[in-house]
């Protein structure tokens, strides 16, 4: 661990700060360019097993001539907040570092467009969300919004380029690009293991766009939609970046200082700086404070259970709070921190503010002794890397990390906590099942809605520190082997190679 820690501090192959959106004018559905850094994959020599590292080198060597002179355009609906933005920020930077001209554009839209795409997102998970319809008037608005983004994109993309569109927000762009003969990959980051009628209806809503793609990518085989040409479906599991502010290993004193600076935990009297390393290798300090709903701050030395998630009903914040209050707090000394983004900072998630309010109300209705043990944290989003450092410090300081989601595409937060050697208890759904091997590298909750089972899993870790540690160590190795960025990158390069 120590060697890795220092290798991440001393190797600084980045050449540009984190992704930043350039330009304005999102309302009309136009396009905004995200400035992508350039990072060298060579630093992975210190974290990947040698055999894996050689595979990465060979894969890049093979892909370079094929992609020479071509731009690989990525299009998503946000550059901040959530797993997709998280992954693109670093994956594209490594692609650029490997000599691939990868670019990132973000589509715009009005609040109706994002309410509608959030509805699609919920439906694709089998949930009815806002109970709104997906009919012809919604289709008309969806297409009209994407028309101007599509026009702007078509003007940039030249023959020989490839476009990777991310998630349902962008699917409507496929036919226009295909009509111009541009190879298009549609990457769907959401999915369910067992589709219900709502899911199928939504597939039908999107099918006329998606069917035109040259390839579709899902996070796991079970997510591939019925009716798609199997030959054109690829499976690529998501991944994390071991060196990003979210995942770099921090000294204990750094963790303490970051949590104290953000107001997430009382300081321990040390004057260590709340320092973290930016993507470009420059040192920075955590300065902003989280907004907390709590009776009193968490004290140094108090154990805590953590869930980090957007404020989304599918992450089940209400269930986490209720399960902790009923089945963990009365039997242990642990606290709970539920941390999510400051909702004002996430543009494509209109539901967030309502969910935060509901959870705050739920907290307020608890008796004082439970309110004292439960802390709701909204982490400032103004500086994505500072936000990431806060999440990192929380994940490294937590005794148990939970992810009690009701639906999940992959669950990057699970991989993040596993990489930090945490004991993780998470729902047996979606890509979480590919990450945790139950009883070896964490615990899977068979019935995520059953609060008693959630409580029992959390208590198992709190009561047995040695099994928590053994599983945490296995969890880290699991991520090292399967879920680090270079593996995803190779999968994408192989797919693009086949397309071209
Ligand atoms: N995240 C964050 N700050 C927050 C809440 C979440 O940086 O306040 C990150 C989290 O660490 C993870 C991503 O957002 O990297 C969430 O990805 P995941 O796949 O778990 O869920 P999604 O939000 O994509 O459904």
């Amino acid at each position: 661990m120590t060697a890795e820690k220092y290798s991440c501090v001393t190797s600084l192959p980045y050449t540009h700060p984190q992704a930043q959106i350039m330009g304005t004018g999102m309302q009309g559905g136009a396009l905004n360019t995200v400035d992508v850094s350039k990072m060298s994959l060579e630093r992975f020599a210190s974290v990947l097993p040698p055999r894996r590292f050689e595979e990465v080198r060979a894969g890049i060597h093979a892909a370079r001539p094929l992609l020479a002179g071509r731009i690989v355009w990525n299009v998503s609906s946000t550059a901040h907040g959530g797993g997709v933005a998280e992954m693109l920020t670093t994956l594209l930077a490594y692609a650029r570092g490997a000599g691939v001209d990868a670019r990132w554009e973000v589509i715009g839209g009005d609040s109706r467009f994002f309410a509608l795409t959030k509805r699609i997102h919920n439906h694709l998970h089998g949930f009815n969300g806002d109970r709104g319809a997906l009919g012809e008037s919604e289709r008309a608005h969806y297409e009209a919004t994407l028309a101007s983004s599509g026009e702007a994109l078509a003007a940039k993309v030249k023959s020989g380029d490839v476009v990777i569109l991310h998630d349902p927000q962008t699917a409507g762009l496929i036919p226009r690009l295909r009509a111009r003969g541009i190879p298009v990959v549609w990457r769907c980051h959401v999915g369910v293991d067992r589709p219900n009628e709502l899911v199928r209806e939504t597939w039908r809503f999107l099918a006329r766009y998606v069917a035109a793609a040259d390839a579709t990518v899902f996070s796991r085989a079970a997510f591939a939609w019925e009716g798609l040409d199997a030959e054109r479906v690829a499976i690529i599991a998501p991944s994390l970046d071991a060196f990003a502010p979210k995942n770099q290993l921090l000294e204990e004193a750094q963790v303490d200082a970051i949590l104290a600076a953000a107001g997430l935990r009382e300081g321990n009297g040390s004057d260590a700086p709340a320092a973290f390393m930016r993507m470009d290798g420059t040192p920075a300090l955590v300065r902003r404070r989280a907004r907390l709903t709590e009776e009193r701050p968490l004290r140094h030395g108090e154990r805590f259970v953590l869930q980090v998630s957007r404020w989304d009903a599918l992450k089940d914040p209400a269930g986490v709070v209720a399960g902790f209050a009923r089945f963990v707090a009365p039997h242990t000394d642990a606290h709970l921190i539920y941390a999510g983004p400051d909702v004002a900072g996430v543009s494509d998630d209109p539901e967030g503010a309502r969910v935060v309010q509901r959870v705050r109300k739920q907290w307020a209705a608890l008796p004082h002794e439970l309110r004292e043990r439960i802390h709701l944290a909204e982490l400032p989003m103004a500086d994505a890397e500072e936000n990431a450092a806060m999440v990192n410090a929380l994940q490294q300081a937590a005794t148990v990390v939970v992810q009690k989601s009701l639906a999940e595409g992959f669950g990057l937060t699970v991989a993040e906590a596993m990489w930090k050697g945490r004991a993780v208890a998470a729902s047996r759904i979606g890509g979480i099942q590919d990450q945790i091997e139950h009883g070896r590298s964490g615990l899977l909750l068979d019935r995520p809605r059953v609060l008693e089972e959630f409580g029992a899993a959390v208590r198992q870790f709190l009561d047995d520190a040695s099994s928590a540690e053994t599983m945490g160590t296995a969890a880290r190795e699991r991520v090292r082997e399967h879920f680090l960025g270079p593996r995803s990158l190779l999968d994408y390069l192989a797919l693009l190679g086949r397309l071209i």
Side-chain angles (χ1 to χ4, degrees):
M1 297 270 272
T2 314
E4 286 171 15
K5 199 175 300 185
Y6 288 107
S7 73
C8 84
V9 171
T10 53
S11 60
L12 307 171
Y14 303 100
T15 58
H16 205 286
Q18 56 150 126
Q20 287 177 335
I21 291 196
M22 314 297 285
T24 52
M26 301 291 279
Q27 283 308 307
L31 211 55
N32 282 273
T33 301
V34 184
D35 192 10
V36 182
S37 7
K38 197 183 254 187
M39 306 195 294
S40 165
L41 280 159
E42 287 300 313
R43 53 178 21 195
F44 279 92
S46 66
V47 289
L48 283 178
R51 151 186 66 82
R52 279 252 179 256
F53 186 64
E54 279 318 311
E55 277 170 26
V56 173
R57 275 200 168 139
I60 287 166
H61 189 73
R64 246 188 223 133
L66 272 174
L67 291 171
R70 302 174 196 273
I71 298 174
V72 180
W73 298 93
N74 282 262
V75 185
S76 74
S77 66
T78 178
H80 301 290
V84 178
E86 179 78 22
M87 261 187 305
L88 286 181
T89 303
T90 52
L91 220 47
L92 299 186
Y94 285 121
R96 289 183 74 82
V100 177
D101 190 353
R103 315 249 182 120
W104 185 1
E105 300 288 333
V106 170
I107 58 166
D110 58 10
S111 55
R112 186 174 169 212
F113 175 78
F114 286 121
L116 167 60
T117 55
K118 183 72 200 230
R119 187 176 302 157
I120 293 175
H121 174 95
N122 281 328
H123 286 197
L124 285 176
H125 280 302
F127 286 82
N128 211 340
D130 66 357
R131 311 206 163 266
L134 282 180
E136 283 316 307
S137 109
E138 286 75 19
R139 183 184 297 287
H141 191 70
Y142 177 77
E143 291 185 356
T145 307
L146 288 176
S148 53
S149 301
E151 217 166 280
L153 187 64
K156 291 184 174 222
V157 177
K158 60 177 180 14
S159 156
D161 292 353
V162 188
V163 178
I164 306 178
L165 300 172
H166 295 266
D167 271 340
Q169 294 91 329
T170 65
L173 297 170
I174 300 169
R176 174 188 289 265
L177 294 163
R178 284 301 303 124
R180 289 196 42 213
I182 309 285
V184 179
V185 175
W186 185 62
R187 201 318 178 196
C188 186
H189 295 268
V190 298
V192 276
D193 300 323
R194 278 179 295 277
N196 59 19
E197 194 40 39
L198 201 55
V199 176
R200 291 198 172 88
E201 241 174 52
T202 314
W203 289 352
R204 287 194 287 273
F205 181 87
L206 294 170
R208 68 172 72 162
Y209 317 117
V210 171
D214 295 277
T216 49
V217 179
F218 295 90
S219 295
R220 58 194 321 246
F223 289 178
W225 298 3
E226 292 158 5
L228 289 180
D229 175 2
E231 294 276 299
R232 290 189 284 149
V233 171
I235 305 302
I236 301 183
S239 59
L240 58 77
D241 178 14
F243 301 101
K246 177 72 57 68
N247 298 309
Q248 57 195 222
L249 292 171
L250 303 168
E251 302 286 351
E252 209 175 308
Q254 273 175 288
V255 170
D256 293 343
I258 291 172
L259 295 181
L264 291 161
R265 182 167 77 179
E266 280 181 356
N268 62 349
S270 132
D271 54 4
F276 66 98
M277 185 78 80
R278 289 199 180 275
M279 299 283 273
D280 65 356
T282 56
L285 292 175
V286 167
R287 295 179 195 279
R288 293 184 181 79
R289 291 178 74 83
R291 191 199 316 266
L292 280 139
T293 303
E294 61 185 2
E295 280 292 331
R296 61 144 178 100
L298 186 74
R299 295 183 189 128
H300 198 268
E302 284 176 333
R303 302 193 295 171
F304 69 94
V305 176
L306 172 74
Q307 176 158 314
V308 174
S309 292
R310 289 180 296 103
W311 301 96
D312 182 323
L314 297 182
K315 307 289 183 184
D316 200 18
V320 174
V321 169
F324 180 86
R326 286 181 61 194
F327 297 106
V328 181
H331 309 283
T332 71
D333 58 2
H335 286 240
L336 169 71
I337 298 184
Y338 187 108
D342 183 354
V343 286
V346 184
S347 57
D348 73 340
D349 190 3
E351 218 175 272
R354 284 196 297 276
V355 174
V356 176
Q357 266 178 6
R358 272 206 300 273
V359 184
R360 280 206 209 110
K361 255 194 185 160
Q362 179 190 2
W363 174 88
L366 291 169
H368 178 265
E369 63 275 17
L370 285 173
R371 285 203 308 274
E372 249 204 324
R373 303 267 295 278
I374 297 175
H375 313 256
L376 307 177
E378 289 172 64
L379 310 180
M381 296 290 287
D383 174 343
E385 292 186 326
E386 181 190 50
N387 174 280
M390 291 178 195
V391 171
N392 189 359
L394 282 170
Q395 287 168 333
Q396 291 195 39
T399 302
V400 180
V401 173
V402 296
Q403 192 60 52
K404 196 191 161 308
S405 304
L406 304 176
E408 198 65 74
F410 179 69
L412 207 46
T413 50
V414 171
E416 289 163 3
M418 290 173 77
W419 177 242
K420 287 146 203 164
R422 294 301 90 195
V424 185
S427 306
R428 191 190 284 278
I429 51 167
I432 294 175
Q433 306 162 84
D434 302 325
Q435 301 182 59
I436 295 179
E437 312 131 291
H438 179 67
R440 213 188 88 71
S441 44
L443 293 175
L444 289 170
L445 309 169
D446 285 329
R447 296 183 295 171
R449 287 180 189 274
V450 179
L451 300 184
E452 204 167 348
E453 288 181 14
F454 165 77
V458 172
R459 286 203 325 264
Q460 179 176 331
F461 281 140
L462 289 172
D463 294 346
D464 181 356
S466 120
S467 101
E469 193 182 335
T470 309
M471 287 200 221
T473 305
R476 180 170 171 82
E477 291 314 308
R478 176 104 182 130
V479 173
R480 190 195 304 281
E481 188 65 25
H482 298 285
F483 301 112
L484 293 181
R487 199 263 315 128
S488 269
L489 189 63
L490 279 194
D491 290 348
Y492 276 109
L493 291 179
L495 172 66
L496 295 180
R498 286 200 297 278
L499 274 190
I500 293 166

